[in-house]
Amino acid sequence: MPRSIRPLVAGNWKMNGLQASLAEFDLIGAGNDAGLRRVVDLMICPPATLVSTLAHAAIGQGILVGAQDCHAKDSGAHTGDISGAMLGDVGATAVIVGHSERRADHDETDATVRSKAGAAFRNGLVAIICVGETRAEREAGKTLAVVRRQLKGSVPEGMTARDIVIAYEPVWAIGTGLTPTAKDVEEVHALIRSDLKKIVGKDEAAKVRILYGGSVKPSNAKELMSVANVDGALVGGASLKAEDFLGIAAAYR
């Protein structure tokens, strides 16, 4: 059955990647053949030091390049920070905001994430807004409440399906090899789709891409990508190897 939403498989390289990593990126480009391009969008979000390099390398390869974070303001006295305007200037088309590692390691609140998503919007970048519960929250039965709160607090009003992607990443599954069941993923994604109707409107909510992230690999990608309301994946460690990343994308062939 044809998909109403074009899927996206995005790779988050996190704090990994040097100039030599361009070789792996080129392998991803080489594997992104016409057949794959017809059915799925591929994106790599490298560290900030490589955004410009990869954006230039991506020309003609059909791969989107995003970033991993941006400041809430477009310029100013913020030593070490990078603005959405700067990212767009060097070729980024999207930026991840609110990843659990930013929320935990940098004490980012929903309000902070919301401000960064707004900065992405102002600068023509798609905001990939991350939500997800910790293991303690899941075991306490708070998964849906946590995701609902994060979604409501992190998505700015007035956004459309062109401006945002939502990524559900259960914190306990990131880099652990553990994954929730397909039923669990379906439940959370259905909640996200439903709640988005209140935030962006019914018509736009039906078009927003909702990605699953958390120990996605070639061996489980087909099952996860077949779940209702899962429109792709936000891939961590597996995106560092072209073979694994393309193996995940191949779930859509």
Side-chain angles (χ1 to χ4, degrees):
M1 185 174 68
R3 291 178 172 271
S4 59
I5 299 177
R6 182 173 171 84
L8 168 68
V9 175
N12 176 12
W13 281 10
K14 305 189 180 183
M15 198 172 72
N16 299 288
L18 303 173
Q19 290 293 325
S21 303
L22 181 59
E24 206 68 31
F25 182 80
D26 286 341
L27 288 175
I28 294 173
N32 189 28
D33 57 35
L36 199 57
R37 294 188 198 190
R38 276 197 297 270
V39 295
V40 62
D41 290 332
L42 299 186
M43 178 186 292
I44 294 294
C45 298
T49 53
L50 292 178
V51 171
S52 179
T53 300
L54 265 59
H56 283 89
I59 296 173
Q61 293 187 340
I63 301 176
L64 302 168
V65 174
Q68 298 175 20
D69 186 45
C70 71
H71 196 278
K73 295 185 177 180
D74 297 339
S75 62
H78 305 288
T79 302
D81 284 310
I82 297 175
S83 71
M86 293 172 177
L87 294 172
D89 187 53
V90 295
T93 60
V95 59
I96 299 169
V97 294
H99 191 280
S100 62
E101 290 156 4
R102 297 289 311 179
R103 291 178 186 263
D105 298 346
H106 298 272
D107 299 318
E108 293 191 359
T109 65
D110 293 339
T112 302
V113 177
R114 183 186 179 100
S115 295
K116 291 185 175 187
F121 172 71
R122 288 196 307 273
N123 290 287
L125 303 175
V126 173
I128 302 175
I129 302 172
C130 300
V131 297
E133 83 285 3
T134 64
R135 185 170 193 136
E137 289 166 338
R138 171 164 283 275
E139 291 176 347
K142 297 179 179 178
T143 295
L144 298 184
V146 168
V147 170
R148 172 167 277 164
R149 172 185 58 76
Q150 291 179 340
L151 191 68
K152 182 179 180 180
S154 301
V155 180
E157 293 181 4
M159 303 291 261
T160 70
R162 293 188 303 273
D163 310 319
I164 59 169
V165 169
I166 304 299
Y168 167 56
E169 290 200 313
V171 179
W172 52 272
I174 299 173
T176 65
L178 302 173
T179 55
T181 66
K183 183 179 179 181
D184 290 336
V185 174
E186 183 174 4
E187 181 181 37
V188 176
H189 279 240
L191 173 83
I192 292 172
R193 183 78 66 197
S194 177
D195 277 22
L196 280 172
K197 294 176 184 178
K198 306 168 191 174
I199 301 171
V200 300
K202 182 178 179 180
D203 291 344
E204 290 301 318
K207 297 182 286 187
V208 173
R209 296 198 271 200
I210 307 174
L211 312 184
Y212 170 74
S215 293
V216 182
K217 43 190 178 285
S219 60
N220 64 15
K222 197 164 189 68
E223 178 186 15
L224 290 168
M225 299 306 101
S226 298
V227 173
N229 289 306
V230 173
D231 308 307
L234 181 57
V235 185
S239 68
L240 295 169
K241 292 293 183 181
E243 182 179 4
D244 289 342
F245 187 64
L246 291 169
I248 292 168
Y252 290 105
R253 283 193 185 274

